[in-house]
Amino acid sequence: MPLLYETQDDTAQVQIDGELTIYTAADLAAQLLPRLGATPRMALDLSQITEMDGAGLQLLLMVQREAPKAGTRLEITDHSKAVTETLALCNLVV
């Protein structure tokens, strides 16, 4: 699962490319969670996610919960169709 990570000024620009599912969530968590706190801000771009399931949603919620604890202001941007459909299925607002 490619995780594209680039730092600009005080912001980590992060893009998840491909699936955000039970098959990729553990690997993504191992890559993403240690980076929380490395910069004051993180912009998480979800525009390239092709498939998302409950495990992917759990990972996003965990990152959202842990970012403030690590001192990082998280901004989630650019939802793909797969993300929007998953959030709608769970009655979560985009």
Side-chain angles (χ1 to χ4, degrees), residues 1 4 9 14 17 20 27 31 59-60 70 74 76 86 88 93:
M1 162 63 54
L4 307 172
D9 299 322
V14 181
D17 189 11
L20 184 52
D27 183 47
Q31 294 178 60
L59 175 59
L60 290 180
L74 181 68
I76 298 178
T86 303
V93 178

Side-chain angles (χ1 to χ4, degrees), residues 15-88:
Q15 183 179 62
I16 300 171
D17 189 11
E19 292 182 11
L20 184 52
T21 65
I22 192 168
Y23 303 108
T24 61
D27 183 47
L28 275 171
Q31 294 178 60
L32 190 55
L33 292 174
R35 292 183 170 156
L36 294 175
T39 56
R41 297 183 57 211
M42 178 181 283
L44 185 56
D45 180 349
L46 306 180
S47 66
Q48 299 304 307
I49 293 177
T50 57
E51 184 178 346
M52 185 171 150
D53 64 9
L57 179 58
Q58 285 179 314
L59 175 59
L60 290 180
L61 293 172
M62 180 173 32
V63 169
Q64 191 172 30
R65 181 191 71 212
E66 295 301 317
K69 293 179 186 177
T72 298
R73 193 174 120 226
L74 181 68
E75 177 184 358
I76 298 178
T77 65
D78 300 326
H79 302 80
S80 70
K81 181 179 178 186
V83 172
T84 302
E85 288 174 351
T86 303
L87 294 176

